[in-house]
Amino acid sequence: MTVSVPEDVAEQLDALPARQVSAYVTEALRRRRASDDLRAAMRAAGYREFPYDPEGAVRRLAERRVTPEMREGAIARVAELLDRPVDEVRADFDRSDVA
């Protein structure tokens, strides 16, 4: 299978050891599928979807418009839906906060 990707993605893949590219792409696609499934489940439950806005999310969190309790509740729910440990999901979110 051959795919074309934007230059920034190609650079990221080029930085990986050749034997890890397939595993990296597989994991990325599985995460995307899980994300799509989660968003579909939330829409079905009546939640509206918000545009992708990581800077706005960080700003709202910093302004305490999202309380630490709300954040922990959301992380726990995401972990439950993804069938992953809460600490692992929290670490993923924390890494995203820094980026």
Side-chain angles (χ1 to χ4, degrees), residues 58-89:
V58 169
R59 187 174 53 256
R60 287 188 296 278
L61 185 60
E63 293 170 354
R64 295 291 185 216
R65 289 173 44 194
V66 176
T67 66
E69 293 80 14
M70 290 169 62
R71 182 178 191 271
E72 284 302 310
I75 289 171
R77 182 67 178 137
V78 169
E80 178 184 342
L81 290 169
L82 297 178
D83 195 28
R84 291 179 55 206
V86 171
D87 291 339
E88 195 176 282
V89 172

Side-chain angles (χ1 to χ4, degrees), residues 8-39:
D8 63 314
V9 175
E11 289 172 5
Q12 189 172 1
L13 293 175
D14 286 342
L16 296 171
R19 294 179 173 256
Q20 292 182 11
V21 172
S22 292
Y24 185 89
V25 170
T26 298
E27 180 182 352
L29 290 172
R30 286 182 175 151
R31 285 178 182 231
R32 175 61 187 260
R33 183 175 47 210
S35 173
D36 290 348
D37 291 348
L38 176 61
R39 284 198 312 279

Side-chain angles (χ1 to χ4, degrees), residues 51-59 96:
Y52 180 73
D53 181 20
E55 292 85 11
V58 169
R59 187 174 53 256
S96 297

